[in-house]
């Protein structure tokens, strides 16, 4: 089926085909018998329909189509509207959508995507920034809390005091005091 860049006919080789991902020795034999080369598959020179029509089992052809992103068929027509008509399994509204996709997107007002034109977006611009835990505790405690994964007043306000006390090796009463201070600050926000 295939030729190399110099136009020379390539010979289907079961051993080379068996080296492709997902190709079993049985599948390699079927492909060889059909005259399909490894290059035909990897360069997408064959379609699912070509493989089935050449006598390759549907399961093998399906596996190859999925593994190597082979086209379903080469006879779908030139334009999207023709392809929509020939595609099986589409509902009428899906077929209409594919056919309508032949429109010039610029006529519809859709700008061409250019990632260079985009400005960086500050995701916090419309939101209040979290209050750092340093607003309610001193630096040493804030460092200890950060080691435990607590960096905001909100996190400290709703922490389990006994779990915090155990994690920081402090008394539960001390953890509750920090939590109480955080809740007061959080409610005033």
């Amino acid at each position: 089926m295939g030729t190399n860049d110099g136009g020379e006919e390539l010979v289907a080789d079961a051993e080379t085909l068996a080296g492709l991902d997902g190709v079993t020795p049985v599948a390699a034999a079927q492909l060889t018998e059909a005259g399909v080369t490894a290059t035909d598959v990897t360069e997408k020179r064959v379609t699912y329909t070509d493989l089935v029509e050449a006598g390759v089992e549907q399961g093998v052809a399906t596996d190859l189509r999925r593994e190597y992103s082979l086209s379903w068929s080469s006879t779908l027509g030139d334009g999207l509207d023709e392809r929509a008509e020939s595609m099986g399994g589409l509902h009428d509204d899906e077929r209409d959508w594919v056919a309508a996709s032949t429109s010039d997107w610029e006529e519809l007002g859709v700008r061409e995507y250019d990632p260079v034109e985009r400005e960086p977006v500050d995701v916090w611009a419309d939101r209040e920034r979290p209050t750092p835990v340093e607003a309610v505790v001193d630096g040493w405690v804030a460092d200890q809390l950060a080691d435990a994964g607590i960096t905001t007043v909100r996190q400290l306000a709703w922490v389990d005091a006994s779990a915090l006390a155990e994690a920081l090796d402090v008394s539960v009463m001390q953890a509750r005091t920090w939590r109480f201070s955080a809740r007061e600050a959080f409610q005033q926000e």
Side-chain angles (χ1 to χ4, degrees):
M1 273 191 167
T3 59
N4 65 13
D5 292 336
E8 300 168 344
E9 188 68 28
L10 296 174
V11 178
D13 176 19
E15 188 174 317
T16 306
L17 285 162
L20 295 176
D21 288 340
V23 178
T24 65
V26 173
Q30 289 178 1
L31 292 167
T32 302
E33 190 174 309
V36 176
T37 67
T39 305
D40 290 335
V41 175
T42 58
E43 298 293 321
K44 298 174 181 42
R45 293 181 187 148
V46 292
T47 66
Y48 169 84
T49 306
D50 294 338
L51 294 173
V52 172
E53 287 175 357
V56 176
E57 287 182 16
Q58 286 184 350
V60 172
T62 298
D63 290 345
L64 288 172
R65 182 179 59 83
R66 289 180 181 154
E67 181 71 29
Y68 295 95
S69 301
L70 300 179
S71 296
W72 181 262
S73 172
S74 60
T75 58
L76 289 177
D78 292 330
L80 285 176
D81 50 347
E82 291 176 25
R83 291 181 183 187
E85 286 301 318
S86 63
M87 286 292 291
L90 293 178
H91 297 327
D92 290 339
D93 55 339
E94 293 170 321
R95 190 171 288 108
D96 293 342
W97 181 86
V98 171
S101 295
T102 61
S103 302
D104 187 359
W105 290 101
E106 289 178 358
E107 289 175 13
L108 299 174
V110 177
R111 286 186 3 187
E112 185 175 325
Y113 175 71
D114 185 1
V116 177
E117 291 181 13
R118 294 186 331 158
E119 295 292 323
V121 177
D122 182 4
V123 296
W124 290 101
D126 296 334
R127 300 183 184 134
E128 286 188 32
R129 297 192 185 270
T131 306
V133 75
E134 288 86 351
V136 295
V137 294
D138 65 22
W140 177 84
V141 174
D143 290 341
Q144 296 300 310
L145 291 170
D147 289 343
I150 298 171
T151 58
T152 68
V153 169
R154 175 180 282 206
Q155 291 171 325
L156 181 56
W158 304 111
V159 72
D160 178 353
S162 59
L164 179 62
E166 187 176 324
L168 298 181
D169 195 29
V170 296
S171 71
V172 174
M173 185 53 92
Q174 182 61 62
R176 285 183 181 163
T177 302
W178 294 334
R179 183 178 68 184
F180 179 78
S181 298
R183 283 186 181 172
E184 279 189 330
F186 181 71
Q187 290 173 349
Q188 291 174 3
E189 289 182 0

